């Protein structure tokens, strides 16, 4: 049941203003991205509406949109289910992510200011604290902000727009391996900060490529002993 599948406090409050269907869509997408709603989980309109405090109509509209975007599967006579990504889907997206972020790291090394580097260091410290506290959700969110900051420091609007299109799916794939990656991920972030600080474009590119490749490999190896 959905009510048993959502951790306490997991349901986000619907922000105002804005069309209700859009706010419901964002709330459901956040629940899917953070895996509060697990891949393969049955999504019952009435239960979702109850959790979000809305009628079933905006939930139905949001599920249709999520189906179009590949987050939800609508099955005839069965209902809606959170999409279960295939290994091939994950591999393709994480490979594209490596290309985008390696270039962002190179540009960040060429363009980053001391203020930008300080922001990366602050995010890295925050991520390390989250890992130490075993707060996976906070670590995942901080990881996304760290990579977003690198993209911002790159200063390429087109590159940032492309990265934004895959950001939420990257978070979706990263969440199951966040604990496995743990402290090592933030050690790699430290190395990347050093390369950016030293304006070493070649090292920054290599380190980011290796870092994202580690995440891609961890995703495929998850659950293996």
């Amino acid at each position: 049941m959905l009510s048993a599948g959502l951790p306490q406090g997991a349901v986000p409050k619907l922000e105002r203003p804005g069309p209700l269907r859009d706010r419901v869509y964002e709330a459901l997408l956040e629940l899917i991205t953070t895996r509060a709603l697990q891949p393969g989980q049955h999504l019952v309109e009435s239960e979702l509406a109850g959790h979000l405090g809305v009628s079933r109509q905006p939930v139905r509209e949001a599920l249709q949109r999520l189906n179009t975007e590949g987050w939800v599967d609508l099955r005839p006579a069965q209902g809606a289910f959170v999409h279960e990504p295939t290994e091939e889907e994950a591999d393709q997206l994480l490979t594209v992510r490596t290309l985008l972020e390696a270039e962002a790291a190179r540009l960040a090394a060429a363009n980053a200011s001391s203020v930008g580097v300080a922001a990366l260091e602050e995010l890295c410290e925050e991520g390390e604290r989250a890992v130490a506290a075993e707060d996976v959700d906070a670590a995942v969110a901080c990881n996304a902000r760290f990579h977003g900051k690198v993209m911002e420091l790159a200063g390429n609007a087109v590159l940032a727009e492309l990265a934004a299109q895959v950001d939420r799916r990257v978070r979706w794939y990263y969440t199951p391996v966040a604990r496995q990656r743990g402290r090592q991920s933030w050690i790699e972030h430290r190395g990347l900060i050093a390369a950016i600080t030293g304006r070493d474009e070649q090292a920054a590119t290599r380190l980011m490529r290796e870092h994202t490749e580690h995440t891609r490999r961890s995703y495929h190896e998850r659950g293996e002993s």
Side-chain angles (χ1 to χ4, degrees):
M1 294 292 290
L2 177 66
S3 55
L6 283 178
Q8 186 174 3
V11 179
K13 292 184 178 179
L14 299 186
E15 299 295 333
R16 288 179 167 78
L20 185 58
R21 64 178 178 275
D22 292 345
R23 290 184 278 126
V24 171
Y25 162 83
E26 286 294 335
L28 293 179
L29 182 53
E30 184 66 14
L31 289 170
I32 292 171
T33 302
T34 59
R35 294 189 179 239
L37 293 173
Q38 291 284 323
Q41 186 167 347
H42 188 201
L43 302 175
V44 181
E45 287 181 8
S46 58
E47 292 185 2
L48 291 171
H51 278 290
L52 296 174
V54 299
S55 68
R56 294 175 62 174
Q57 183 59 32
V59 171
R60 185 176 300 113
E61 293 174 353
L63 291 176
Q64 290 284 354
R65 180 176 173 185
L66 290 165
N67 173 68
T68 299
E69 296 176 357
W71 292 101
V72 165
D73 297 328
L74 296 179
R75 303 174 188 170
Q78 296 184 54
F81 296 80
V82 178
H83 179 65
E84 296 184 75
T86 66
E87 295 294 304
E88 183 179 6
E89 287 172 358
D91 193 67
Q92 289 179 359
L93 183 115
L94 293 173
T95 297
V96 170
R97 180 224 186 180
T98 295
L99 296 173
L100 295 174
E101 299 216 18
E103 177 62 9
R106 184 188 72 78
L107 291 172
N111 300 322
S113 64
S114 58
V115 173
V117 169
L120 288 177
E121 291 176 341
E122 183 176 339
L123 285 167
C124 199
E125 290 173 4
E126 183 179 341
E128 289 166 345
R129 288 194 297 270
V131 169
E134 298 188 350
D135 189 339
V136 174
D137 289 342
V140 170
C142 193
N143 181 74
R145 293 202 304 275
F146 181 91
H147 284 268
K149 176 58 69 171
V150 173
M151 191 64 63
E152 178 186 325
L153 297 179
N156 186 310
V158 175
L159 188 65
E161 182 179 352
L162 291 172
Q165 293 178 27
V166 301
D167 174 66
R168 259 179 157 152
R169 289 191 188 273
V170 168
R171 286 175 57 196
W172 193 33
Y173 295 136
Y174 182 69
T175 296
V177 301
R179 192 181 298 277
Q180 176 184 342
R181 291 281 282 133
R183 177 168 164 71
Q184 180 58 37
S185 179
W186 296 95
I187 291 174
E188 293 165 12
H189 285 162
R190 286 287 181 189
L192 180 63
I193 292 173
I196 292 173
T197 302
R199 295 191 175 278
D200 190 334
E201 297 178 38
Q202 185 174 0
T205 303
R206 175 179 57 79
L207 289 169
M208 182 64 93
R209 184 177 292 115
E210 292 173 353
H211 174 69
T212 54
E213 175 60 21
H214 289 160
T215 297
R216 188 185 71 84
R217 193 160 56 243
S218 294
Y219 181 84
H220 290 304
E221 294 171 353
R222 69 196 185 287
E224 295 181 4
S225 57

